[in-house]
Each structure stands twice: as structure tokens, then as C-alpha cells.
Amino acid sequence: MSAQELRIGMVGYAFMGAAHSQAWRTVNRVFDLPLRARMVAVAGQHADRVSAAAHQLGWEESTTDWRTLVDRPDIDVIDICTPGDSHAEIALAALAAGKHVLCEKPLANSLDEARAMASAAAAADARSMCGYNYRRVPAAALMREYVTSGRLGAIRHVRAVYLQDWIVDPAFPLVWRLRKERSGSGALGDIGSHIVDLTQYVTGQSIASVSALTETFVRSRPLPGEAAAGLGGVAATGFGEVTVDDAALFLARFGGGAVGTFEATRFATGRKNGLRIEINGEHGSLAFDLERLNELEYYDARLPGPEQGFRRILVTEPGHPYLSAWWPPGHVIGWEHSFTHQARDFIDAVATGGELRPSFADALGVQLVLDAVERSASAGAWTTV
Amino acid sequence: MSAQELRIGMVGYAFMGAAHSQAWRTVNRVFDLPLRARMVAVAGQHADRVSAAAHQLGWEESTTDWRTLVDRPDIDVIDICTPGDSHAEIALAALAAGKHVLCEKPLANSLDEARAMASAAAAADARSMCGYNYRRVPAAALMREYVTSGRLGAIRHVRAVYLQDWIVDPAFPLVWRLRKERSGSGALGDIGSHIVDLTQYVTGQSIASVSALTETFVRSRPLPGEAAAGLGGVAATGFGEVTVDDAALFLARFGGGAVGTFEATRFATGRKNGLRIEINGEHGSLAFDLERLNELEYYDARLPGPEQGFRRILVTEPGHPYLSAWWPPGHVIGWEHSFTHQARDFIDAVATGGELRPSFADALGVQLVLDAVERSASAGAWTTV
Amino acid sequence: MSAQELRIGMVGYAFMGAAHSQAWRTVNRVFDLPLRARMVAVAGQHADRVSAAAHQLGWEESTTDWRTLVDRPDIDVIDICTPGDSHAEIALAALAAGKHVLCEKPLANSLDEARAMASAAAAADARSMCGYNYRRVPAAALMREYVTSGRLGAIRHVRAVYLQDWIVDPAFPLVWRLRKERSGSGALGDIGSHIVDLTQYVTGQSIASVSALTETFVRSRPLPGEAAAGLGGVAATGFGEVTVDDAALFLARFGGGAVGTFEATRFATGRKNGLRIEINGEHGSLAFDLERLNELEYYDARLPGPEQGFRRILVTEPGHPYLSAWWPPGHVIGWEHSFTHQARDFIDAVATGGELRPSFADALGVQLVLDAVERSASAGAWTTV
Amino acid sequence: MSAQELRIGMVGYAFMGAAHSQAWRTVNRVFDLPLRARMVAVAGQHADRVSAAAHQLGWEESTTDWRTLVDRPDIDVIDICTPGDSHAEIALAALAAGKHVLCEKPLANSLDEARAMASAAAAADARSMCGYNYRRVPAAALMREYVTSGRLGAIRHVRAVYLQDWIVDPAFPLVWRLRKERSGSGALGDIGSHIVDLTQYVTGQSIASVSALTETFVRSRPLPGEAAAGLGGVAATGFGEVTVDDAALFLARFGGGAVGTFEATRFATGRKNGLRIEINGEHGSLAFDLERLNELEYYDARLPGPEQGFRRILVTEPGHPYLSAWWPPGHVIGWEHSFTHQARDFIDAVATGGELRPSFADALGVQLVLDAVERSASAGAWTTV
């Protein structure tokens, strides 16, 4: 890196690329950091589109060959925002070239790829992180603090759902997220991975075994006319098979003794981005809902009985994670801010050598749980992670 | 009274009469009390109807002449559930006859009547109470406890509304509650009186001055075919003038330094029984909503900053007011239970000689505020209570 | 039965007995019914206590031998409010004697008993019902109506929890509900049975297969000094083993294609009576929370997109189930009212010969699910009901 | 302006300056607009600080003399983010120099200044707008759409509060917002102005008359050691008098027949940024809370009675105002986004000549209401705006 800059090359520019761009553009305007992010270049498959995206999102240059980003000496970080089928190839090349890597989740579409990535990351001098951004929602980080501080005592129950509804309509087209060869899995990998990572992070416990079911409610969908960006789609030209799960549900036993229920679905009509986590411990409970991400509910069972209740903490105070850099109390932040916080921690760790989590090893841990879920769903039995 | 019984005679058997009957019938089944309520007789204007009501509601006898109840030596309590225009006459007769009196709110339709009632009550050996039943909703009683215990410190703000919507439709008929000669006033006396009483009770401060407006949005309504019971009405036979307020709004200064906003309306579309009170003090706040009457929200500003939040206390614990006699925690109670609690306290005070509030003097205090509101609305200026 | 009365004999007088007594006492005061409930006698083990309970709850007589109730010609209905280990014996005797039977849930502690009860009920002329009272919470009955009317279309997801926390404290004593020989199972039978019955009722689908886990977090507890009533306990005299589950979690596949997650626990710190059900269908969703039992949330996906949202229906309108008999809109009811509604439907069906559900056969269906859950938890594999 | 750029010069760089900077930096990355904002220079009083702010917030240059910004030909827009005592001087100079002007609210500290600004704006060729940013919160803009489309019918009630608590502690210092000579007024102008503007905007009705009270609960506060930025303060060096209101409450009559209650306070313990508005109309109601700014509650009284309820619309759909440019449904935005939307509309109007509201005339209208509130509070009587 240059003396003061951390020079970023991003691969992919759709939904996640836009969110990451917003983060790189904003992070140094809000946080005081030893390095300043510079948005050097973005890579994509179609020259016109990637050029337009670079202009729109604020990248200095664009390219149709991500390998040129890896090869450039004036790029320090490769930020991978592509579908899961290309994560491994790009990340391994980048690490081999000595670049720091920020890779979107889930880490990879296969366990073999994920293992190779974790090994390469462990062996590399450069830094790497997987983009489970919800760890950096202030309320989620506060959950972690509350568990770590012992406020909950022994954890008994974890209840985690990630509910969406964007494909309830059978006429919604067969976008890449519904094709196994591109996305690896459906709701499980896309959003189930988030609640696996987040509950393991918050509780400090790993999922040890699972019993699962997966379901595809709508098995055939119209083909999109051309590659669709983001979560949307375009005009159809025939039908194709949905090769991923619409929903994945599982029970879990954690290493530390807690038990849990998990559900990821794209068929929860009316729930748009409903990541909800509740944790019950012997001394208290926590509840979080991503659709109200500035709030955390906390129940303190050590208060006198008649004074107990779930307390809605508005997580906008300067004493809350990341918030001292933003606005006064009550001036709420949004979903995108989690990416800015992720960028903040990434830059800080690169500059200072501090810990950077979730590591590729952490993300491999999530993949192992997802793999156990799929094996359990096939076998119809409890499966060890 | 007999050795073990407290013998009740009730006047009026419509909405309030049904609620009071449920209370007298239930109170000794739930609470241990030194006297057992006996539902001796009910009085009403129409022989057939009052007889049917007695049968339905569980009264031993019925009569069309309330004076016979006052005269009977085997009746200890006169429970007045009629419209406000007859409260004074009945209550004064009952007190003169040595009966204990429970009188529905508002105490009377005129200040003169209310003053006479308060004087008679103060001079009587018998006990009396006005039926501001919401003091006996457990969460409201808990609010009082929290203020009294100093949890809020000096009170700064009171915010009180009572929102209903049952006459939004201009075709709703001209029932007795919309005619000044029967009801005294409209939303102001019917529901505004509740929030005046409740905020004065909870804060321990009296309203000292007000600035008000009243409004009648729909000035002419169809006449009901015959006397309508409860809040409902029947087929119309022409139109008549609405002679009461549809809504009353006022600002208030309390004797103790707090300032407040008050609103009572029957035109808050979608709000069915929306009595809401919020109180802000220097050390904390309380918020209550009658539509969720098993809950109280409490904010404790003396906790560490990042742990503060509005705490939803589910007011169903044995340590909460009245609740040890009911069901296990979380098994919620309803609106009618406030009347059973009122009956409990009435019986207990009669038996033990303990304090019995709100007294007629307290209720006169409410009337004085309502009168100041009406005077202020007429004068367009601040008015002293 | 006599010409106008339905004469009740109740067995057991603790928590459930008190709730049933409130229902029998109230039902004819609120609903117009062809028969009037008469509370003839209550049976219990301890003469003093059952006599006191009779006095407190309003029963004309008491006895220490429930068989005398079954034998009396002046009793029409046997209402069974005892722990599950005596349900079968009492119900079979009552049916054999030609009595109508209302039996608390779960139906029995063993499948054999439940089968015998369902057979006897099917063969009897008398009527019978199992006390899954939550079907008669108006909002739950409204859920059923909404599903039946097609508002949700094909049902995709069921999410059901019943969360309590009354034994989180390891010092809480070993009451009868924690001993398998009395209660059959723990959270599973006590509260899990409710969400099995209610989701099957609301969706009109039966659970076909399950994968489950059960857990006992606190395996040894202080012995209560003497038999404890209700959910509470008294002073301890040594320790004993907890022989039931503290929590039961399971995945389910319904016969009609829906998938579900279920959880019943007594270790959800801060959740007092947290029965929550969410149902997602292709055209809409419903969500219900027993702690806010006057509300139902409904999402209508057939409205224009930007107008969609979860709608909080305050279920207190005269057009809602059971509500026309109670108070005006917004005057909320409580938990106990579900028992009054149950009594209403029981009396009505006895008088008119109408359908009476949940039948013992329905309740056996619940038992079969609970049995499959226990077998699945033992086997660690999916199990057919 | 240059062919493609709109060149901005900003005056002031504290709380509002940071929010505006975030908006100018982001707007063209999210919205497609005919002009690109260029952050040319920022002006402030202290050379070191303004230079640091320019670096932090992303301005190309800084200056200690705002007049140089007005004089520069390469600046098209003057963005005024200073306290209210300098608005008029800067805005008049900028308009005189032919610059477009975006001026923070409230428009000015005196009516004379505000009138002069509105006159100058009306006479100028350049465009101008006052920064009542909450009009651009999507849910607030949606409220306006719902009223305009007739969904509510005649409006009966407006209920508006803006509740904060940042000066509840008497030890909080005497920052500039508590000194009349800098801020003009206290809660009234700072936050009361927002609810006046927003309710007038949403309802399309103007406030015609008011009755008000103002209160200063803590009349003396520690002096800050030096000029404090944002809402915070620093070490005290003596005490000074608070010369503005801590709270302002008023009743209002709108020109179109609605009645309203308003409250702005900095003493609502636990409420951090609690701008709440409820509007009741003859056909429906709307409710909004800035602390949950991605949600709008809508009650449609034209649905069948038993289906009515307040509907929580998650205002994140592409069909909602401003949202098609942001993230997928359910990916919530924050407080700062309202400034980006304001920048979007400002740029668009400058480029296309379209309408740009709230105009200085609109903002003068707000000032006239605030002035009537202060006069009413002094006189103790209803006052015409």
C-alpha cells in the first residue's frame, strides 16, 4: 500500500458491489483511520456495463478482466462481490499475489473450495475477511458484548430466522440465485449462512449437530431474458428448473449446550428482510430484528421481578459500537452502514495488524454447518457438523 | 350490612351495569374479602327490560323505581350506573338513607350537582366512591407506585389522549351520549374525564390551569328510533342536533410544575379505546396504552447510558397490583377486571374503614377541570381551574 | 339434564379448576344459551381444601370422591381439571355413566389411554370435548376463518413457539408438572400440545412427520414440602430428579405441503406465556401472540405492492368471533375468556346437538404428534406421526 | 454551473454540515441526475478546524470567509449550515450574487429576516430551498401521497410531537442552541419547526391559529469551556442563563378544519429523536415515528369492519418515494438519507427548472406559526397566525 492509501480493486458491481462502493466511499468521511480507501478499479464481464458502473459508483477505472486487478502493483485489496462460483478462483489468485482480500459470503459454493481458501488465507501474509456484514450492525455487535460480559449467563436457547418473500410469485424469473451452479444453494447459502454466522458469533458457541429439511415450493420458473442484476429479473423466454432450496429449516445443538431452531426462506409472505434472532440465557435474553436494526431488546432477569421486562434499547448512543462516529442519539442508521463498519474494521486491521474476523476459517466453519444441513436434509437424520 | 354480606342495589343495567354486574359476581371468587357481595336488586325504567336484565346479569330482583332500593333496609350499597343527569338525585337520596354509594363517572352533569354530592359524601357516615375504574388497571396502579416511589423524580411532561372512533360515520344516530341534557358533555365528560382523573392520580399533581378547544365535526345526526343501549343505536326517524363536543383538546399546567397536553375525541379513526398516557420525569418515563392494558413501558434514566431503553413490563406478576389473586404470569386480564378490582377495594374499605378513593371530592376535582376546559374553550384564553 | 339447566360436576380445583369455574359462572351472564350452567359439585383429594375451594369458586357442594359425581343422576357434565394421569379413568367412567365430558388437555399421559378415551367418546351418546381452549381465543378463531376463506392460499410455512420461563431458576421446586408419572411429559405435553392443536386447527392440515430434540437443562430440583397447587411451589425438603423435558423443539411436515418449526420451552427467560404462531401462505400471512391476545396481524399480498403491510387487527369488534356478546370495540378481554367461550360452545352443542370440537379424536391426533416427537427425539431421525 | 457539474460551497461544517456533506457526496452515486454535485469549498470561522473538516468531509478547499464563496464564479450553490443568526445575511448575499441557495431550517431567527429572505428568493432567478429534510423521508413523502390521493378524506385530527431528551441533565452545558441570540428559540424553532412544516406539508392545510405555552425547566446551566460543536458540549467555566424554551406546546386550528396538538421538547426522558405524527381523517388514519423511519402505519376505514387495522407498511419498496434507487425491499435506510433525497431534488430542480419546495416562502410560513406560538404563550390567549 502507499503511505496513506489503501487501494481497492473490486470484482463485481451489482447489488453487493453497490453496497461495498458506498462503504469505501464513506468510511474515511466518518471514521478516523490511518489509511484512506481509494477506489482504484472495478472489474466485470461486460465492458459497457462495468464502465457505466464505475462511473456511477465512483471507481477510477474499469476492466473486463479481474486478473488485471490482481496483477496490478497499485492495488492493495481485492474486494470480491461476485456470485459464489467464482469466489475461490479470485480469492486464491489474489492471496497468491499478496493482496488483502475481502470476500462476500458465503465463502464458496463447495466445501473443497472453502477449505482451499481458508488454507491459503492462513498461509498468507496478507489479510482476509469474509463479508458477513451483519456482525457490524451496531445492535448485533452489542448482542455480542452483552453475551461476552456475562449478562445472559449460560445460554439455553437460540431462535434464528431469516425471512424473505421475493420469489413467492411463481412468475418470478429464474435468476442466478435460483441456479445451483451459480449460487451453490438457495435460501440456505444466501441468507441461512448469515444466521449461522451471526448466532455463532454472538453466542461464542459453534453448532455441533443439526437436523434439517429443505424445500423447493416452486420447481419451475420462467427464464430471464438476459442476465439479471441484483435480486430483480427481466422478461422471460421459456421455463427452467429451480435447482436450489426455497427454504431450509433446521434444529441445532451448540457445542456449549444451547439448542436452537433456524429457518431461512424466500417464501415468508410479507417479510422482506426479516433476520430475527432471540437468545435466552439463564440471567437474561436478547432479541434482534434486522427490519428494526437500530433496536435491541434486552431482558434482565436479575432486576427485581416486578420491574423486569424486555427493554427496547435504541442503539444509537455514542457508547454503542460504531455509533460515536455517526449522528446524535436517535438519528437512526440504515442497512448499508454495516458495510461501512466492515470497511472500517478491515482498514484498521490492515493498518494496525489487529485481528480481522470473520476470517476465512470462520467462514469455512459456516460452510461446514451448511454442508451438514444439506446432508441432514438428504439423510433425514441428525448430522454432525 | 348483614354479618357477612354486602348487599348491592344497582341503578341502570346497560353497558356500565353489565360491567358492574360482572364485577360484583366475580369479586369474591377471586379475592379473599371480609364481606361477600350479594346482588340483591337492579332498577331500571322499563319493567320488561330491567327484569330481563336482572335475569341475564344475575340480580335477584328488579324494580322500575330506584327509590325502593334506597328505602330497603336489606340493601347496603347503591351502585349508580345511569347517565349523568340522574347521578346527583340518586346519590343524594342514597347517602341520606345511609347507603354506601358507588357512582359512575363523571360525577354529575353540573358543577352545582357535583358540589352537592361531594358535600353530602363528606358529611355522611356511609362510604362513597366515583367509578374512575382505570385507576384499578394494574398497569395504571403500577404507574402510580413508580411515581410515588420517586423513580421518575420531578415530573416534566404529561401527555394524555383518549381516542375513540365510534361516531366517525355521520350516519351514526343521535344516541343519548350525544345529547347535552343527558350526558352533560361529549368526549370531554365521557372519556376526557378519565384522563384528567388518571393523570392527576398517577402524578399526584392537580391541574391548575388550562387552555382548550372543543369541536363538533358532525353537527346533525339521525334520530334513533327508540332509546339505544350501550354505545350502539337503532333505526333513525329524522335528524337532530348534536349538542355536545366530538372532541376536546387542551393544554394544562399542573400544580407541581409539569405541563401537559390532553385530547379526548370520538373521531380518531382506527383508535377504538386508545387511552394513552406518557409521563416524563427527570429520572425516567412511563407510557401506558389501554388497548394493551397488561403492559407498562418504563424508562430508567439512572441505568448506564448504553443500557437505557423503554422496558415493556408485562404487568401480570404476583408482585403487581391486584395480580396475585388472578392467573400465573403472562395470562393476561381484560378491561372488565378493572371493575372487579374496584369492587374489591370498595368492599374492603367498607369492611375495614380504610381509605376509599377516588372520593366524590376527587371526582368534583375532575369536574372542576372539565368546567375550566369548557370555559377556556368558550373564552379562547387560559383559564384557572 | 333438567329442562333448563346443565348441571356440572368438576374434578380438580387448582389452576385449571379456577379457570373453568370462572367460565361456568360467567357464561350465561354473557351469552344467550338454551341451557343454564349450574355448578353443582367439585371433587378433590383433601376434604378441607376442596370444601374451601367450593366456597371460594362458587360450587354448591364438594366431595373427596370424584366417583360420586359420576354416579349422581343430578349431574350432567363431568369437567376434568386434574393432572393427566387421572384423565382416562375419570373420563371413561363418566362416559360409561352417560355423562357429557369436558377434559383438560393433554388428553392423557399415554397413547393407550388416549385411544381408549377416543373410542369411548365415539361410542357414547353423550358429548365430549378436550380443553384446547386457545381455539376459542377470538384472534385464533379469526385466523382459522381467514385460512378457511382462502385469504392465505396455499400454506407454505408454520412457525409456532410456546415460550415460558417459570422454571429458569434451578431452585424452583420439583412440582408435579416436572414429574413424568403425573404429567406424562414436560413442556412438550403441557404447552407444546397447545401449539400442535392450534396449528393443525388453524391450517386445517395435520402434521405428518417430525424431527425433534428434547432437553432437560436442570436435571435435579428441590422437592416441594407438600403438594403444590397451580404453577407455584413451596418449601423444599431434599432434591429429586426432573423426569420430563424442559424444552422440546421439532421440525414438521404437514399433510398439505406446509413445513413448520415448533418449540415449547420453560426456559425462555422473559417470555411468560409466549404462544406465538405465524403462518405464511401464497397470498398472505397471519401472526398471533398470546401475550397480546386481542390482536391479530394480517398481511394481504393481493393489495397493491406499495400498500402492503402487516395489519394489526384489534380483535374486539362485534363481527369477530364471540365478541358481539362482550364489550364495545377496544375494550379488551383476557386469557380467561377463552374458557368462557369454550363453555359457551360446549353448552350450545349439548343443547342443540351441534358439532363439538376438538373431539377426543382430535386430541388423540395431538397425542400422536407428541408421541412421534418423543420417538424422533430418542431416535435422532425423522419420524412419521 | 458548468456543463455537467453543480458546484457547491457550504457554510458551516458541524452537525448539519456533516449531514449535507454526506448527501452531496452520495447523491450522484445513487440517483441518475443531469448534474453532478462537486464539493468545491467549505467555510468556517476557525482556519484549522474548517481545514480539518474539509479534509474529513471531502471538500476540495476551505476558507474562513464565507463571502469568498459567494464571490467565486466557480461556485453555483451556497449551502447554509450555520446557526440561524447568520442565515439571512448569507442567503441574501448569495441570492444577490446569483447563487442557488439551500438554507438550513429554521429559515431565520426573526420574522423580519425571514420576510426579507422570502422576498429576495421570490425575486431571484436562482433557485432556493429551506432544509426541512423530513419531507424527504420516504414514509413522510408517502403520507403526503396518501392524503393527496384522498385516502383519508376530510382531515379531523393532527397529533404531532417532537420529543428529545438531550438536556434533561441540569449539568448539560449552555451550548449555542440554548442561547436566544444564536438560535432564535429553543425546542420551538429547532424541532417544533419540523413538525409545523411537516404537518402543513402532509395535510396540505395551513395552521390558522394557535394557543401555546412554553417552559424552561432548567433556567441556569454551566457555560461550556469553548464553542461546542454539534449537540454536545465541553467542560464548564461558570453558569449562564438559558434564554430559550426547553419545551413548547400548542393547540392549533388548521385552515381546512382540522384541529391539532403540537409539542416540542428536549425534556422527554428516553425519547431521543421522537418525531411522531398521527393524522385522523374521515376514511382513514396515518401514523409515523421518526425513530422507526422506514415504517408507516395506515388505517383504511373503508375495508370491511372486521378486517380493519393499522397496517405497518415497510417503506422500502421500489414503488415508494426515492426507494427505487436504493436497496431491495426490507434493506432499511437511515436518517441521513433524507438529506441525500433533498440533494437529489435540489439538483433535479436546478437542472430542469422544476418546482422546488419548501421554498423560502414556505419556510416563512413556518416562521409565522412559530411567531404566533410565542405571542400566544406570552399573551395566554389564542393567536392568529
Side-chain angles (χ1 to χ4, degrees), chain B residues 216-276:
Chain B
T216 304
F217 295 111
V218 174
R219 297 186 170 274
S220 174
R221 288 183 179 273
L223 294 168
E226 50 182 318
L231 297 178
V234 290
T237 58
F239 281 77
E241 189 186 358
V242 177
T243 49
V244 298
D245 59 279
D246 288 336
L249 293 69
F250 59 100
L251 307 178
R253 287 190 177 274
F254 286 78
V259 296
T261 59
F262 287 78
E263 181 175 0
T265 180
R266 294 161 170 168
F267 272 74
T269 305
R271 304 301 181 188
K272 303 303 173 183
N273 206 23
L275 185 165
R276 299 184 185 190

Side-chain angles (χ1 to χ4, degrees), chain A residues 142 146 151 297-300 303 305-314 317 319-320, chain B residues 142 146 151 297-300 303 305-314 317 319-320:
Chain A
L142 192 62
Y146 272 38
R151 278 181 178 83
E297 292 199 43
Y298 168 49
Y299 188 95
D300 183 353
L303 290 173
E307 293 190 20
Q308 294 175 15
F310 274 88
R311 192 187 306 167
R312 183 177 76 103
I313 299 172
L314 194 59
E317 296 291 316
H320 292 144
Chain B
L142 192 62
Y146 272 39
R151 279 180 176 84
E297 292 199 44
Y298 169 49
Y299 188 95
D300 184 353
L303 291 173
E307 293 190 18
Q308 293 174 13
F310 274 88
R311 192 188 304 166
R312 183 177 75 103
I313 298 173
L314 194 60
E317 297 290 317
H320 293 144

Side-chain angles (χ1 to χ4, degrees), chain C residues 8-301:
Chain C
I8 319 291
M10 186 172 79
V11 192
Y13 54 83
F15 176 28
M16 280 301 108
H20 284 230
S21 299
Q22 173 80 348
W24 295 123
R25 183 190 317 121
T26 304
V27 62
N28 292 104
R29 302 310 178 188
V30 175
F31 294 97
D32 287 321
L33 291 167
L35 293 174
R36 185 168 290 269
R38 181 169 166 188
M39 299 166 71
V40 175
V42 58
Q45 291 180 308
H46 303 277
D48 289 354
R49 290 187 197 161
V50 71
S51 172
H55 183 72
Q56 173 79 22
L57 300 176
W59 296 87
E60 297 171 12
E61 302 171 41
S62 66
T63 172
T64 58
D65 183 2
W66 61 263
R67 291 179 189 279
T68 64
L69 302 185
V70 171
D71 294 338
R72 283 173 63 156
D74 65 340
I75 283 182
D76 306 306
V77 175
I78 300 297
D79 181 9
I80 305 172
C81 294
T82 56
D85 60 341
S86 55
H87 286 186
E89 186 181 12
I90 302 171
L92 293 172
L95 288 168
K99 307 301 189 196
H100 308 296
V101 179
L102 173 57
C103 182
E104 257 307 313
K105 44 59 54 185
L107 189 61
N109 280 5
S110 76
L111 271 188
D112 284 349
E113 288 176 336
R115 286 197 180 97
M117 292 168 77
S119 296
D125 288 332
R127 313 303 305 272
S128 50
M129 179 165 64
C130 187
Y132 285 108
N133 59 301
Y134 292 142
R135 292 188 179 203
R136 267 83 184 190
V137 170
L142 192 62
M143 290 181 87
R144 164 80 169 174
E145 285 186 17
Y146 272 38
V147 171
T148 303
S149 69
R151 277 182 178 83
L152 266 59
I155 294 176
R156 307 301 196 188
H157 287 287
V158 173
R159 226 160 278 120
V161 298
Y162 202 149
L163 308 179
Q164 296 186 339
D165 74 350
W166 52 283
I167 59 172
V168 164
D169 183 351
F172 189 89
L174 191 69
V175 296
W176 72 262
R177 286 176 191 271
L178 306 184
R179 294 166 55 204
K180 186 175 180 60
E181 67 274 22
R182 297 301 308 282
S183 60
S185 71
L188 178 61
D190 184 21
I191 52 179
S193 62
H194 271 302
I195 49 178
V196 169
D197 180 69
L198 197 49
T199 56
Q200 293 192 140
Y201 169 67
V202 168
T203 62
Q205 295 186 22
S206 294
I207 293 172
S209 60
V210 297
S211 177
L213 74 78
T214 57
E215 182 64 68
T216 304
F217 295 110
V218 174
R219 297 184 170 276
S220 174
R221 288 184 179 273
L223 293 168
E226 50 180 322
L231 298 178
V234 290
T237 58
F239 280 77
E241 188 186 359
V242 176
T243 49
V244 299
D245 59 277
D246 288 336
L249 293 69
F250 59 100
L251 307 178
R253 286 189 177 276
F254 286 78
V259 296
T261 59
F262 287 79
E263 181 174 3
T265 180
R266 293 162 171 168
F267 272 73
T269 305
R271 303 302 181 189
K272 303 303 172 183
N273 207 23
L275 185 164
R276 298 183 186 193
I277 292 180
E278 177 165 332
I279 298 174
N280 304 132
E282 59 181 340
H283 301 317
S285 291
L286 293 168
F288 171 71
D289 179 348
L290 186 64
E291 289 182 1
R292 287 178 170 169
L293 64 77
N294 293 276
E295 304 176 19
L296 178 63
E297 292 199 43
Y298 168 48
Y299 188 96
D300 184 353

Side-chain angles (χ1 to χ4, degrees), chain D residues 306-317:
Chain D
E307 293 189 19
Q308 294 174 13
F310 274 88
R311 193 188 303 167
R312 183 177 75 103
I313 299 173
L314 194 59
V315 188
T316 58
E317 297 290 315

